[in-house]
Amino acid sequence: MKLSALTRSFLTSAAPTREDDQDRPGGVGDLLAPSALRVNASSLEMPDGCCASFAITGYPREVGAGWLEPLLTYPGRLDVSMHVEPIPPMVAAQRLRRQLARLESSARANAEAGRLADFGAEAAADDAADLASSLARGDGRLFRVGLYLTVHAWDAAELDAEIQQVRALAASLLLDAQPTTFRAMQGWVSTLPLGTDSIRQRRTFDTSALAASFPFASPDLNAPTGSNEVLYGVNVASSGVVMWDRFAQDNHNSVVLARSGAGKSYFTKLEALRLLYHGVEVSVIDPEDEYRALAETTGGTHLGLGARGVAFNPFDLPTDQGDDTLIRRALFTQTLVAAMLGEPLTPAARPVLDRAVLAAYAAKGINSDPATWRRPAPLLADLVEQLAISSHPEGEAIAERLTPYVAGSYKELFAQATTTRPDGHLVVFSLRDLPEEVKSVGVLLALDAIWRKVANPADRRPRLVIVDEAWMLMKEAEGARFLYRLAKSARKHWAGLTVVTQDAADLLASDLGRAVVANSATQILLRQAPQAITAVGDAFALSEGERAFLLSAERGEGLLCGGNAGDRAAFAAISSPAEHKVITTDPAELLDHEGEGDPL
């Protein structure tokens, strides 16, 4: 991104400054003004200190993303103000042509007179040609930008020291900071949040250079960024922002490790909410029903598996997933029945069950023709009926053992048509109400629904699958297999897996856990227990300082470890008041928020 060398004199004419109403009695100025003020040649004295202002008059020729970050994170009190005014394209094009003519005329005159070439003018001519080409193609626009600094201190001696440090910092960024001598008042006003530029010391920026000036980049991280970059928090060392795009990394998976109460679910919900802003589709396995408020607030779908009145029919057929959908449902039914029985199916039982499944679909008028898949799907009771009339001992035995799921204690979830389809931009499968006896079956249904969405070739879009308290899922055989398969192949389906757990040592001690971590380009480490810090530190190659930070981190503070060794940043997760109301699980705060309207 280039800041053109020609713009020192380019577009110097400007429209007259409009007088705002902040100077009127009782206006905004009265609210911000100090009770007393002494104006000196280059500084202002106030009751609570003094200040001096500077206008940036010289800029580097090229800048990168976050190039103003050192000024924004200056440890002292430094106000940085940027005034931006767009230039009409027609005006910009006309003045660019005039400036190009001046530069080329100067170059010809030097050549005819035998003088040495003016390399500054040549660079300016090249930049002007690039800007003109960009404007002609409509790739960008030009803006007048004024950048001003105000340094604050308690007394004059401290102010002089701060001024030296700020000017040295500006010089290291190739910025020329000139004091607003005899215009100290105007310089101070220009850095107040009034939108008034009393100095009018402007420079022309193109679109890319202006975008690089905004504090929405993470100079501490070298990872690539894309269109799904979200704010993780504030860097605890530099106070700069930490932005991260998981979908721009080598893979889209992440792992969140923390002890209980460190804020891992809070951080995960915050990231999910901000990814929803980008149009990412999110699915959640929620063991403790912590994501209900998020689903209700954002218009998502909440399925409380095991709750009264909630049913989920495993025989539902999607109509957009290929010609083999019916066969895939028949094969999945064998896995589901095995989970219900609590043991693998025998070789003799598999063909009997397969025939019964197809017969149950046929009884409802459903066959291999996709046009029939929109008809009401059979229920588990229909399968049991087909098994009972199969006249085969294996079929009758399976039908007898499935009776509790049809007419017994477990029928609530399986004995009727689906009450809420798992569709939408956010789908939460809550497992809190599932009895332990059927939890493996409910988990299998949720994972199957998620996998069908992720692996659907007819509907490709960025997706995120969150498995909160993953240690619970890993205890189930099907859940462990799902995590392993998704961790290995999620990237191929434009999806990311987020594994959240508080049992870091157990996760890192298992082959599955190590595979999940190895296939996660984004690793979030929040506060750790002393008993687990050795295993976590060895697994992620943490330094002694990083280990000490994780042992003493406050709630919401953590360490972001990217795919590359240099991509590490300690951050504190931050949320707006509206976001906090949606994602907090603090019982006291939830009680205070009862009865309030939709925060978003």
Side-chain angles (χ1 to χ4, degrees):
M1 302 171 187
K2 294 183 178 180
L3 299 182
S4 174
L6 65 93
T7 55
R8 183 173 289 106
S9 59
F10 174 51
L11 297 179
T12 54
S13 62
T17 304
R18 181 178 61 85
E19 293 296 333
D20 295 317
D21 63 352
Q22 70 270 6
D23 293 330
R24 300 176 185 173
V28 179
D30 287 350
L31 297 177
L32 299 175
S35 58
L37 190 68
R38 174 178 291 177
V39 181
N40 300 321
S42 57
S43 65
L44 296 178
E45 296 182 21
M46 306 175 191
D48 58 347
C50 54
C51 66
S53 300
F54 297 86
I56 302 299
T57 59
Y59 294 81
R61 185 168 182 265
E62 295 187 6
V63 296
W67 66 285
L68 286 179
E69 189 75 13
L71 288 176
L72 300 173
T73 58
Y74 180 72
R77 183 182 172 186
L78 175 65
D79 296 336
V80 181
S81 176
M82 177 178 287
H83 298 263
V84 180
E85 179 185 349
I87 302 173
M90 292 299 296
V91 174
Q94 292 172 2
R95 293 179 178 174
L96 268 174
R97 283 195 293 269
R98 287 202 298 267
Q99 186 69 7
L100 271 171
R102 294 191 194 101
L103 293 170
E104 291 177 359
S105 175
S106 175
R108 290 196 187 98
N110 289 338
E112 292 173 357
R115 290 190 291 267
L116 293 176
D118 185 346
F119 298 107
E122 291 182 359
D126 292 340
D127 291 341
D130 292 341
L131 287 174
S133 176
S134 177
L135 286 176
R137 293 193 303 267
D139 293 339
R141 295 187 59 182
L142 296 184
F143 303 84
R144 296 187 185 96
V145 178
L147 183 60
Y148 310 106
L149 312 176
T150 295
V151 185
H152 294 264
W154 291 109
D155 52 42
E158 183 182 352
L159 181 63
D160 290 339
E162 291 289 336
I163 288 174
Q164 295 300 323
Q165 294 183 26
V166 170
R167 297 194 71 175
L169 176 60
S172 69
L173 300 175
L174 301 182
L175 297 174
D176 185 9
Q178 293 296 329
T180 56
T181 306
F182 299 114
R183 303 183 72 187
M185 172 73 78
Q186 291 85 342
W188 174 60
V189 170
S190 296
T191 57
L192 291 177
L194 300 175
T196 300
D197 184 0
S198 302
I199 301 297
R200 306 292 295 181
Q201 185 68 46
R202 301 297 184 87
R203 186 69 175 265
T204 302
F205 282 36
D206 64 2
T207 303
S208 60
L210 180 61
S213 304
F214 283 83
F216 302 133
S218 301
D220 304 304
L221 302 171
N222 300 317
T225 58
S227 59
N228 298 306
E229 192 173 19
V230 299
L231 173 65
Y232 273 17
V234 176
N235 192 305
V236 298
S238 64
S239 299
V241 295
V242 175
M243 307 285 289
W244 189 257
D245 185 358
R246 64 189 299 152
F247 289 95
Q249 311 311 313
D250 295 338
N251 62 68
H252 315 326
N253 302 334
S254 71
V255 58
V256 181
L257 303 180
R259 64 180 299 178
S260 178
K264 57 185 181 300
S265 296
Y266 187 97
F267 167 80
T268 304
K269 284 183 282 187
L270 184 61
E271 183 190 20
L273 178 58
R274 290 171 177 172
L275 284 173
L276 287 172
Y277 299 155
H278 291 276
V280 177
E281 193 174 279
V282 181
S283 300
V284 184
I285 300 292
D286 181 14
E288 300 297 336
D289 201 29
E290 294 183 295
Y291 291 75
R292 177 190 292 270
L294 181 61
E296 293 175 349
T297 304
T298 60
T301 303
H302 180 271
L303 284 84
L305 301 182
R308 183 175 298 275
V310 177
F312 196 93
N313 184 14
F315 295 93
D316 289 337
L317 287 175
T319 59
D320 59 348
Q321 294 194 5
D323 297 336
D324 60 344
T325 299
L326 181 60
I327 301 301
R328 290 182 178 274
R329 282 292 87 197
L331 294 174
F332 170 72
T333 302
Q334 296 186 20
T335 304
L336 177 66
V337 170
M340 290 178 169
L341 300 181
E343 61 184 18
L345 295 174
T346 62
R350 288 186 178 277
V352 176
L353 180 59
D354 185 65
R355 288 193 297 269
V357 171
L358 297 178
Y361 277 109
K364 297 293 183 179
I366 300 174
N367 51 43
S368 57
D369 184 3
T372 65
W373 295 351
R374 297 187 180 275
R375 297 172 180 172
L379 302 176
L380 188 60
D382 299 315
L383 174 61
V384 172
E385 180 181 351
Q386 294 295 332
L387 288 169
I389 64 176
S390 63
S391 301
H392 194 286
E394 291 284 352
E396 295 174 354
I398 295 175
E400 180 66 24
R401 296 180 63 181
L402 290 179
T403 301
Y405 295 95
V406 176
S409 304
Y410 308 148
K411 69 176 183 179
E412 188 74 28
L413 182 61
F414 311 100
Q416 56 181 318
T418 299
T419 54
T420 304
R421 297 190 66 87
D423 297 327
H425 55 278
L426 171 63
V427 181
V428 177
F429 295 90
S430 175
L431 310 180
R432 186 182 62 179
D433 297 322
L434 272 177
E436 287 297 327
E437 294 77 8
V438 296
K439 181 158 289 187
S440 61
V441 180
V443 168
L444 181 60
L445 290 176
L447 298 181
D448 173 69
I450 292 175
W451 181 254
R452 278 188 286 166
K453 294 181 67 175
V454 168
N456 183 7
D459 185 19
R460 291 296 189 204
R461 64 181 66 187
R463 289 185 169 94
L464 175 64
V465 179
I466 298 174
V467 181
D468 207 339
E469 301 297 349
W471 61 273
M472 295 184 180
L473 197 64
M474 291 172 61
K475 295 189 299 183
E476 309 291 344
E478 288 300 326
R481 281 196 290 268
F482 170 82
L483 286 180
Y484 184 79
R485 178 173 58 173
L486 191 57
K488 288 287 189 179
S489 59
R491 182 184 60 82
K492 301 175 183 178
H493 301 289
W494 204 4
L497 169 67
T498 294
V499 173
V500 186
T501 183
Q502 63 184 7
D503 287 347
D506 291 344
L507 178 70
L508 298 173
S510 65
D511 293 338
L512 171 62
R514 288 192 293 270
V516 170
V517 172
N519 287 276
S520 298
T522 304
Q523 301 155 357
I524 307 296
L525 306 178
L526 303 179
R527 187 174 63 206
Q528 300 294 321
Q531 297 82 359
I533 191 62
T534 300
V536 172
D538 294 342
F540 295 95
L542 301 180
S543 65
E544 291 299 326
E546 291 169 338
R547 299 185 190 209
F549 169 73
L550 294 180
L551 287 174
S552 60
E554 299 291 335
R555 178 178 297 181
E557 292 184 350
L559 184 66
L560 166 62
C561 302
N564 299 321
D567 287 332
R568 295 197 173 186
F571 70 96
I574 57 174
S575 62
S576 68
E579 290 173 325
H580 179 75
K581 289 181 181 179
V582 175
I583 62 181
T584 183
T585 54
D586 189 316
E589 293 185 5
L590 294 177
L591 182 62
D592 292 340
H593 296 160
E594 284 186 3
E596 297 182 3
D598 187 350
L600 295 180

